[in-house]
Amino acid sequence: MIFESLAERLQNTFKKLKGKGKLDEKDVDEAMREVRVALLEADVNYKVVKDFVKKVKERAIGAEVLGSLTPGQQVIKIVNDELTELMGGTQSKITISSKPPTVVMLVGLQGAGKTTTVGKLGNQLRKQGRRPLLVAADVYRPAAIKQLKVLGEQLNIPVFSLGDKTNPVDIAKAAVEHAKSYGNDMVLIDTAGRLHINEELMEELKNIKESVKPHEILFVMDATTGQDAVNVAKTFDEQLGIDGVIITKLDGDTRGGAALSVKAVTGKPIKFVGMGEKLDALEPFFPDRMASRILG
Ligand code: GDP
């Protein structure tokens, strides 16, 4: 489970604080040292940890906290607030265009979970009464088009494909036209990934962006690759520009470092999380609920 050891460690730290009737600065310092180590061990970005601990400490050694009747509780509340803030504060949704179709591009490295997530997102949107069109624009990974078609059949959602011999930019443009003619109000484009970031990939994504002007570019990242994934997100944001993040495989991530760092590092919110391989295993991301999971 995500945040397993982080939750255990923080809860132990705070149990000690709560046990004391009065707190002084030294108690807070010691607790913050433990928080720092726990966050680093959960694979949270070093600078993010440093800023986080500084902020919490500044608030926690304020007169109201140390002088209050329940200082331990107050410190926990501050940590809870700051963890929520770290993960984006409030829920962040997909922007829906007032003029359909809304075009959403999913980008990321190969294996991150883009194709699966396009299916999951389509499934979720359809349940909300929308008419999504899934677009197979990953013409490099041999099985990607077939995989999307199979997902579309399972979900009974249309998939737009022009095979793997057409340029992805032309596929994306044709898909948007198709959506307009057939009344699809959401166009979800599955783009190609690579094992690593390279220029060719970025060029291709920029060209698709330029030609279809998506309302949302969502970066899909694999939680289990931790800070590597966060660094890739940063590069995608700098080079392409992203509007939000979908974290996949959170069901297989015990540390939670990616989920805790990506908003602070990129400035872009987490919009959904993938919690399993099944097609209904995509959830909206709620920063406050995630924070509560850590603090119990
Ligand atoms: P792509 O190369 O980015 O299109 O990645 P795929 O969509 O093919 O996904 C790669 C693998 O990750 C597949 O085996 C998916 O079933 C798996 N996967 C995707 N999302 C999740 C998730 O949220 N949880 C788990 N456990 N597996 C996932």
Side-chain angles (χ1 to χ4, degrees):
M1 207 189 63
I2 187 173
F3 300 136
E4 213 164 64
S5 67
L6 177 63
E8 196 186 313
R9 295 187 61 150
L10 292 189
Q11 285 169 26
N12 279 337
T13 299
F14 293 134
K15 216 181 278 161
K16 278 189 265 170
L17 276 193
K18 271 197 288 190
K20 298 188 178 182
K22 268 181 137 180
L23 292 185
D24 58 23
E25 214 173 308
K26 213 174 112 254
D27 298 320
V28 174
D29 266 350
E30 194 183 315
M32 286 310 126
R33 243 195 320 273
E34 288 177 20
V35 169
R36 181 175 171 277
V37 174
L39 288 172
L40 287 173
E41 278 181 10
D43 190 33
V44 180
N45 173 287
Y46 177 78
K47 185 165 182 303
V48 171
V49 174
K50 205 170 146 220
D51 292 348
F52 179 84
V53 169
K54 186 164 170 264
K55 245 190 230 166
V56 172
K57 213 149 118 181
E58 270 168 19
R59 286 183 62 190
I61 55 178
E64 302 131 78
V65 174
L66 296 186
S68 82
L69 289 174
T70 53
Q73 291 287 9
Q74 305 273 8
V75 174
I76 296 169
K77 185 176 178 306
I78 294 171
V79 172
N80 186 64
D81 289 353
E82 293 296 336
L83 281 174
T84 305
E85 207 47 44
L86 188 62
M87 289 184 282
T90 51
Q91 190 202 358
S92 185
K93 295 184 179 174
I94 291 188
T95 313
I96 303 288
S97 166
S98 55
K99 202 170 141 244
T102 297
V103 180
V104 181
M105 230 175 120
L106 277 80
V107 302
L109 294 185
Q110 190 168 313
K114 286 180 298 304
T115 307
T116 313
T117 306
V118 166
K120 287 177 175 175
L121 196 54
N123 186 28
Q124 194 170 101
L125 290 165
R126 212 230 345 239
K127 282 185 188 157
Q128 294 164 4
R130 302 199 176 271
R131 300 191 55 205
L133 177 68
L134 315 184
V135 183
D138 179 355
V139 298
Y140 297 103
R141 184 161 65 88
I145 297 177
K146 178 87 195 302
Q147 188 185 338
L148 195 63
K149 283 185 174 164
V150 170
L151 287 177
E153 266 165 38
Q154 277 174 15
L155 295 165
N156 201 17
I157 295 177
V159 173
F160 184 89
S161 162
L162 294 175
D164 60 4
K165 302 284 181 284
T166 309
N167 175 326
V169 174
D170 294 332
I171 297 174
K173 273 202 277 196
V176 174
E177 288 313 311
H178 180 97
K180 283 181 188 159
S181 315
Y182 288 83
N184 298 107
D185 56 1
M186 301 286 302
V187 176
L188 309 181
I189 306 177
D190 183 25
T191 63
R194 301 285 195 277
L195 290 177
H196 306 282
I197 292 177
N198 68 26
E199 234 170 81
E200 196 190 352
L201 167 66
M202 284 301 168
E203 265 320 296
E204 177 179 307
L205 296 175
K206 280 182 205 164
N207 289 337
I208 300 176
K209 176 182 179 182
E210 194 51 41
S211 71
V212 299
K213 308 260 184 313
H215 301 90
E216 287 261 342
I217 299 182
L218 298 176
F219 178 75
V220 179
M221 64 188 263
D222 175 346
T224 61
T225 59
Q227 292 315 301
D228 283 341
V230 174
N231 293 332
V232 175
K234 188 160 186 272
T235 307
F236 266 74
D237 189 41
E238 284 163 0
Q239 299 197 5
L240 178 71
I242 62 173
D243 301 292
V245 173
I246 299 180
I247 302 192
T248 62
K249 309 183 200 179
L250 214 59
D251 52 307
D253 175 36
T254 52
R255 301 211 283 170
L260 281 167
S261 313
V262 74
K263 168 67 171 58
V265 170
T266 63
K268 301 299 158 67
I270 301 167
K271 300 207 173 186
F272 297 96
V273 289
M275 298 296 289
E277 294 195 76
K278 293 218 182 97
L279 292 173
D280 58 1
L282 184 75
E283 299 175 6
F285 183 75
F286 295 100
D288 53 344
R289 291 186 202 168
M290 274 290 162
S292 307
R293 261 161 104 150
I294 301 174
L295 294 177

